[in-house]
Amino acid sequence: MKIQNIFFLLLICNCSLYAQHTTEKWKVFELTLNGSTEGNPFTDVNLTGRFIKNKDTISVPGFYDGDGIYKIRFMPPNEGKWNYVTLSNVKNLTNKKGSFVCTPAQKDNHGPVAVKDSFYFAYADGTPHYSFGTTCYGWVHQGDSLAEVTLQTLSKGYFNKMRMCIFPKSYDWNNNEPVYYPFEGSPLKNWNYNKLNPAFFRNIEERIKQLDSLGIEADLIVFHPYDRWGFSSLDRATEDLYINYIIARFAAFKNVWWSMANEYDFMQNKKMSDWDYYIEQFATKDKFHHLLSIHNGVQFYDHTNPYITHVSIQEENTYKAKEYRTKYKKPVIFDECRYEGNIPWSWGNLTAPSMTEKFWRGFTNGGFVGHGETYVTEDPIRLPGESSDILWWSKGGVMIGKSPQRIKFLRQIIEAAPEELKPIPLFTWAPFSCVGIEHEYYLGYLNDAQPRSIVIDLPADASYNVEVIDTWNMTITPLEKKFSGHSLIGLPGKPYMAVRIVRNK
């Protein structure tokens, strides 16, 4: 047996420390330490990792992973050698030293997403990120078999962001018990709030990693009102324990976003000062500065809060993106604009053309839009809560709606466009919207109107290629004529059409 293999086995047997020797840029470096199980490791033990590279020093909290195992996770932002040292109030966990080498990011690793130039998103390597999201609140709590079906559905490339709850959800079409619970104890309300359940959080981080392998951002919802276990009404000490734990555990994953709540204003036992407090906790304690938002039911949160990175809203009028980005000076995501489906609730029975149109109207007004699907397929129809159907919005699985393919079509158009499109005038009639780069590129949408032609004013000193886009049938038809100045563009006379106009070089 080689000497290095013997050393590795001794290292594992000593169970004092284990860590990688190399970690790819923006991937997770994990340091594992063995310690005591006595007392309450979740509240009695303080553990921090200090990571140093030249003049850069980043300190991150550690966490207890059960069975005497303690971990520290770090996302290296720069290549080269990083040294580290642990600090703890427990003797055999402190002053553990070592180093690792951060290697270059590979082809599909673009790093975490951040805000760029006020209204846009970009990965750490500069690659633009256009948020095409979907909602699957409880998919992480359904078990492996259904989760695998969900991931297979997501692998088709419709979406690059998933809204998902950390706590289990209790609501219509989502009344089964979760596979794991966040605290030790037993359902429904016999919990030991001083002790978290590592298996619960381990399951979520596995889903985060699976999403990352598909290039999908995990928009983690920290709190929500749909609860029968008591998790929506924790005391401040328990909330702090939970918040600190998920930051320590999840923040090193590059595809994590933080959403403070789904429908924060429906959580009647919380005050506005509570939300301000939670937001500040994440903004100051997450050393990797992931995107941070809060989602509303009826009342918008004050998105001018400097800790909030982008506007995440429930609002069906996606054409207001231009208005909201002007007001808040931040990227605007309509994370909930109603869902394609057929359930009795008004928010969940859009037609596929209506959902597709909301995406086009949102993007051509300078915003981003999120999808959801709520189809009941059982016959006969049952009351909400009595159905055994698996709805995408609640549990994941497969999608049967017709909007995802059309959303993917729009995504391909947006991702092929020049960066940082902004709302610009092209049409004289306000309901038609357009984004682009003035004099260079225009992407305009005509909503559900069905004109046989449109008049547009282009610069007279240049010529332009025009393509007519059928957003429902997913076709792009180039027009043979070159256009300039005051132009009349012929159309098929059908609804849901768009035009793409590109200057000839």
Side-chain angles (χ1 to χ4, degrees), residues 96-108:
K96 303 295 182 181
K97 298 179 179 180
S99 64
F100 72 95
V101 174
C102 175
T103 59
Q106 298 302 299
K107 179 180 178 181
D108 295 329

Side-chain angles (χ1 to χ4, degrees), residues 385-416:
E386 294 181 339
S387 172
S388 61
D389 270 334
I390 297 173
L391 280 63
W392 174 262
W393 140 91
S394 61
K395 298 180 182 179
V398 299
M399 286 186 290
I400 61 176
K402 295 182 178 180
S403 67
Q405 302 96 308
R406 279 84 187 170
I407 293 167
K408 181 179 179 180
F409 176 66
L410 171 60
R411 180 181 173 185
Q412 292 168 338
I413 290 171
I414 293 294
E415 291 182 345

